[in-house]
Amino acid sequence: SIFPLGAPVQDGDSVHLLRGAAWGPDGVPKDETAARELVISWGRRLWRDRSLVVDGRDHSGVFTLCSVAPDSVVVASDPSGLYPVYLWARPGSAAVSSHERVLARGVGAAADLRGLVQTAAFGYAIGERTLPSGIRQLPAGASAHIDVRTGVITITDHPSHYGPIQPSGDLDE
């Protein structure tokens, strides 16, 4: 696989960043140009639908896609949560990272007391909460839209990404 691409993909006034392994309906793209075209089509779908429906006919893999424009950011995380995504925003600014501590340092986030207590008690912070204040973790299989002008983050869960639940048989067997 040629993924991840070595650089962000420019698409008009948008930039698409892909992390992970992915392929299209025709399999792994044959070259970097085909890979860029595939990422652009996914980025445009993410802008239009605010989600990436994981469907074997359209695309497959385990990846996170982030599309950035001057006044908004849209990001979709992989259904397994293999690649974590952290979000931060305030009016006029937004930041997305796969590393919580790097993002916290970059935006100057202070410690979140509840996040610290939860992590000390359970070994992790609950839900979207993180150790740094104001930084949220995007749940696995969800998407987020950040309005850079207002600093509002809207997270949408996509349970259809997980597929149907298959019975695993009798647990006593």
Side-chain angles (χ1 to χ4, degrees):
S1 170
I2 60 173
F3 286 102
L5 291 172
V9 177
Q10 185 75 38
D11 178 24
D13 66 349
S14 299
V15 176
H16 310 295
L17 300 99
L18 177 85
R19 181 169 187 219
W23 50 91
D26 301 322
V28 175
K30 64 182 186 291
D31 56 28
E32 180 130 347
T33 300
R36 292 172 61 80
E37 290 171 2
L38 189 61
V39 170
I40 287 172
S41 72
W42 290 341
R44 289 178 179 173
R45 177 183 295 174
L46 184 59
W47 281 119
R48 183 187 70 229
D49 302 337
R50 296 287 192 252
S51 73
L52 289 175
V53 176
V54 176
D55 179 335
R57 293 172 313 208
D58 293 333
H59 54 81
S60 297
V62 178
F63 62 93
T64 293
L65 182 66
C66 180
S67 296
V68 181
D71 60 355
S72 62
V73 176
V74 182
V75 61
S77 66
D78 71 283
S80 68
L82 182 64
Y83 297 105
V85 178
Y86 299 96
L87 312 165
W88 172 89
R90 69 173 185 213
S93 299
V96 176
S97 178
S98 58
H99 294 86
E100 177 184 344
R101 288 188 306 183
V102 171
L103 180 57
R105 286 186 187 136
V107 301
D112 180 329
L113 184 57
R114 285 189 181 166
L116 288 169
V117 170
Q118 290 173 357
T119 301
F122 309 120
Y124 57 90
I126 298 171
E128 297 170 11
R129 186 178 294 284
T130 62
L131 293 175
S133 181
I135 294 178
R136 297 167 68 180
Q137 182 172 7
L138 186 62
S143 65
H145 175 258
I146 304 172
D147 185 325
V148 176
R149 291 169 294 174
T150 63
V152 173
I153 300 173
T154 304
I155 295 179
T156 305
D157 190 21
H158 301 285
S160 63
H161 284 200
Y162 303 105
I165 298 173
Q166 301 295 325
S168 60
D170 188 353
L171 294 176
D172 294 330
E173 292 179 355

